Amino acid sequence: MSNQQNYTEMIDAYLTGQLNGEESSRLMELLEQDPALKDEFLLQQDIVNSLRVHRRNELKNRLNNIETGTGVSFNGAGTLKMVAGTALVALIGTGIYFAFQQNDGEGETLNPVEVTLQPDYTPAISEAPAMAETSEKKEEAALQQNKEVYEEIDAPKADAPAFAPTGYQAAKDAGIKSAPAKVAGSVPSGAKKPAAEPAEVVKPEVISFFDEQDASANTPEANTPEDKLNTIRSFSTQNIEVSTVTDKRYSFHYMFFDNQLHIYGEFSKVPYEVLEVNTGTYTRYFLYHNGLYYELNPDQRKVTRLKELNNEGMIKELEITRNEKLKR
Amino acid sequence: MKDQEVLERIGRGDEKALDYLYKKYYRMMTRVVTSNNGTEQDAKDIFQDALIVFWQKAASGKLVLTSKISTYIYSICQNLWRKELDRKSRLVNEAKDGEEYPDHDSRERVKIIQESISALGDTCQKVLTYYYFDGLTMEKIAEKMGFANTDTAKTKKYKCKKKLDEFIKSKYTKSDFLD
């Protein structure tokens, strides 16, 4: 153990770029010879990288909270609560929808889609933040602050330290870029096939509410930099009709206008979700299917192929939303 | 604020300089992306990332600026966006492999570490992150945190790091037992 203590400083210096070439080589040799030391090195590397990620996210959130005209942004634990709250509401809405299902006969041949949802949700909308709080506590944290957003690793992108391990390469790419407004009004679309009707149009329940959160009030963290407080968020989901269409010409396409979304393809085996992200100034729509996200243009009058979403930040946020929903 | 003052402030770790740059150049920098196949959201992300790159370089004293700050940041934005476009086009051509994530154990460990960092006191978090990310010298950390002197900062950093290490190790071992 004392060997490690001696080398702690050396490892630290290496990780902060303070060792010259010769010293670095020497350290690398030592690591090769001493597996325990190597383990310690790897751990320290992870710790230093995580500290960097933490700080980077902090700065990113700080910038995100600065008014530049979109007017909506959020951060840290507040994000989680809002996302969880929305997901909860979406679930309730879905439940209500299934209770009052309606069918429309249309000219097109439609494929009914069944989406498996977790039906065990409970309280009213206003309790959403409390629910999120509970789920947070359930997490491993016996800690006071549990900034789950950091679960998603976000290492410095352009200025990565040379020694960044492969694990972080992926994390780097997948980092959270706190979008100005997230919160998906999750509109899972699914319909059971009734005996008589061959065609179905799914009408999601209209859910409109506003959830204002003051991060400084709700977040118990003393660690929050003072500048990062006072974030106001609001969101609503609009009424979108979703229908699935089977057409030989189009294997994986969509058409979306006047709040009517038609998706073309084989959706009966793998369920899909339609997600709506609403900032103060614009709304974005996404389709989640089979592990991938596709952005939907709400003014897409011509049938077009579904285009994969590659913005890692957005993907991360959508993932959180969906996973929060599934946890319940 | 003139460039020189901005740089001086960043050198001290004054985050208001960061805010200033963000507001001042938001429109200009986001255009790099929005005028080149990017959405407003892409642009915002890229600009924020670029600014943080700039911040880190400037705060750690590694920056040798031979142009205006805006020019420098502009080119960071261009580079980042170009990389992002390349990455997007690659992903479209190949099937997305989806498993870019490190293995489960690594993720678990990182999660434990992140939680431990969040559990640190405010001062420790700041000292450590200023040291490891911003790259501020002990002197500057002492100044920024209001410590008595540089040695105080050094000691604080040492203690905080030790505390963090021990905390992590204790949690890590515990979860091994729980496996």
Side-chain angles (χ1 to χ4, degrees), chain B residues 70-178:
Chain B
S70 58
T71 313
Y72 190 81
I73 296 175
Y74 194 84
S75 62
I76 300 178
C77 288
Q78 284 178 315
N79 288 337
L80 290 182
W81 183 235
R82 198 176 306 127
K83 271 194 217 164
E84 178 65 15
L85 285 175
D86 284 346
R87 203 187 55 92
K88 281 186 193 214
S89 73
R90 263 186 289 123
L91 284 176
V92 165
N93 293 334
E94 309 156 3
K96 178 177 176 186
D97 64 44
E99 271 318 296
E100 284 187 48
Y101 302 107
D103 62 79
H104 174 78
D105 283 341
S106 314
R107 267 188 295 172
E108 266 307 302
R109 176 153 103 171
V110 170
K111 183 176 170 196
I112 289 172
I113 295 174
Q114 290 288 2
E115 286 171 354
S116 305
I117 293 172
S118 299
L120 283 177
D122 196 42
T123 305
C124 272
Q125 263 193 36
K126 286 185 170 162
V127 169
L128 290 179
T129 54
Y130 293 164
Y131 182 77
Y132 286 106
F133 181 81
D134 303 53
L136 293 180
T137 60
M138 285 304 176
E139 193 186 337
K140 291 191 179 146
I141 291 176
E143 207 184 300
K144 184 168 179 181
M145 303 285 305
F147 293 152
N149 53 50
T150 312
D151 281 335
T152 315
K154 275 191 195 153
T155 311
K156 192 72 189 170
K157 182 257 172 189
Y158 176 80
K159 284 186 178 164
C160 288
K161 182 67 170 43
K162 192 150 175 254
K163 186 167 141 188
L164 179 63
D165 285 355
E166 283 164 6
F167 190 67
I168 289 168
K169 283 174 180 171
S170 74
K171 292 210 80 191
Y172 200 35
T173 320
K174 217 197 299 184
S175 54
D176 282 343
F177 285 136
L178 291 174

Side-chain angles (χ1 to χ4, degrees), chain A residues 78-314:
Chain A
T79 304
L80 181 64
K81 287 179 191 166
M82 178 168 61
V83 165
T86 315
L88 183 64
V89 166
L91 266 180
I92 296 170
T94 310
I96 296 170
Y97 163 71
F98 277 116
F100 296 102
Q101 204 175 49
Q102 292 180 28
N103 299 320
D104 260 343
E106 294 200 345
E108 323 165 279
T109 316
L110 300 177
N111 264 351
V113 174
E114 200 152 287
V115 175
T116 325
L117 297 170
Q118 305 273 354
D120 51 325
Y121 49 82
T122 18
I125 291 168
S126 58
E127 288 186 43
M131 283 294 291
E133 194 88 54
T134 317
S135 76
E136 272 186 18
K137 281 174 192 158
K138 274 183 204 161
E139 293 296 324
E140 188 183 351
L143 312 168
Q144 289 136 2
Q145 290 99 26
N146 189 3
K147 295 182 189 164
E148 291 211 342
V149 69
Y150 297 125
E151 186 177 349
E152 318 291 348
I153 306 157
D154 186 12
K157 261 173 107 169
D159 195 23
F163 52 77
T166 342
Y168 281 90
Q169 186 62 43
K172 231 192 308 184
D173 296 337
I176 284 184
K177 304 168 196 176
S178 315
K182 295 170 190 152
V183 187
S186 243
V187 178
S189 304
K192 294 193 169 60
K193 187 175 190 174
E197 301 279 342
E200 300 201 330
V201 171
V202 170
K203 288 184 190 170
E205 185 72 1
V206 178
I207 304 164
S208 289
F209 69 97
F210 293 91
D211 186 20
E212 277 189 35
Q213 282 190 14
D214 179 345
S216 62
N218 290 347
T219 313
E221 311 147 39
N223 285 353
T224 312
E226 286 171 32
D227 313 276
K228 195 165 81 150
L229 307 175
N230 295 324
T231 305
I232 297 174
R233 310 174 250 291
S234 65
F235 53 91
S236 67
T237 57
Q238 295 182 11
N239 207 1
I240 304 170
E241 284 183 24
V242 184
S243 56
T244 54
V245 185
T246 308
D247 187 324
K248 276 185 206 147
R249 294 172 293 166
Y250 306 118
S251 57
F252 202 55
H253 296 66
Y254 78 103
M255 194 164 58
F256 189 12
F257 58 92
D258 290 344
N259 280 344
Q260 286 183 23
L261 172 65
H262 306 271
I263 48 178
Y264 294 74
E266 172 63 60
F267 293 99
S268 57
K269 296 202 182 97
V270 179
Y272 64 90
E273 285 179 40
V274 177
L275 302 157
E276 175 183 317
V277 174
N278 220 333
T279 70
T281 42
Y282 60 84
T283 308
R284 289 171 84 179
Y285 298 90
F286 303 89
L287 179 79
Y288 173 77
H289 178 257
N290 208 13
L292 297 176
Y293 292 89
Y294 305 87
E295 177 143 22
L296 305 168
N297 175 4
D299 190 27
Q300 183 67 41
R301 287 176 192 267
K302 195 173 144 190
V303 177
T304 188
R305 185 155 259 279
L306 282 161
K307 193 177 162 216
E308 193 187 314
L309 174 73
N310 289 310
N311 182 316
E312 300 281 5
M314 201 64 225

